[in-house]
Amino acid sequence: MSDFAQELIASMEEAVAHAQGKKTGVRVHAIEPVDVKKARKALDMTQPDFALLLGTSVSGLQKWEQGKRYPGGAARTLIRLIERAPEAVKEALDERNSA
């Protein structure tokens, strides 16, 4: 059996043990959810405008707001910033729009 196959089997065994609640070397990373709708409302933006800001479609944004899907990457980071400092983001956006 190849090294790759042996590693794959060992990985699957570890995954099963983790799923069964056994102690393993698995590290679990929990990602806190973001409140997309609350962030959009904090900026007083429409769905089309907020979707454009985040680089997604309106339907994608709606799925995020409904909890059917979750933003990742830069969109998630920007939403987190809006949650923590909406006034600073508004100011930055206003400066960008007036330039």
Side-chain angles (χ1 to χ4, degrees):
M1 186 179 306
S2 71
D3 288 343
F4 174 74
Q6 289 174 346
E7 287 179 29
L8 185 59
I9 290 168
S11 295
M12 294 306 295
E13 288 172 346
E14 185 177 42
V16 169
H18 175 73
Q20 293 172 339
K22 296 177 182 172
K23 190 152 181 96
T24 65
V26 174
R27 283 188 267 168
V28 178
H29 301 277
I31 299 174
E32 291 184 36
V34 290
D35 190 335
V36 179
K37 188 172 187 176
K38 184 177 177 182
R40 177 176 62 82
K41 290 188 177 277
L43 296 183
D44 195 31
M45 295 181 86
T46 64
Q47 285 183 336
D49 289 340
F50 200 57
L52 183 63
L53 174 69
L54 297 176
T56 192
S57 65
V58 174
S59 66
L61 176 68
Q62 290 169 342
K63 288 174 185 161
W64 292 348
E65 288 189 357
Q66 295 165 1
K68 294 179 180 176
R69 299 196 68 197
Y70 303 98
R76 180 179 167 69
T77 300
L78 181 54
I79 293 165
R80 183 63 79 203
L81 286 171
I82 294 166
E83 286 180 329
R84 292 187 179 161
E87 293 304 318
V89 174
K90 279 183 192 177
E91 184 180 322
L93 291 172
D94 288 343
E95 287 176 11
R96 182 186 75 172
N97 290 333
S98 65

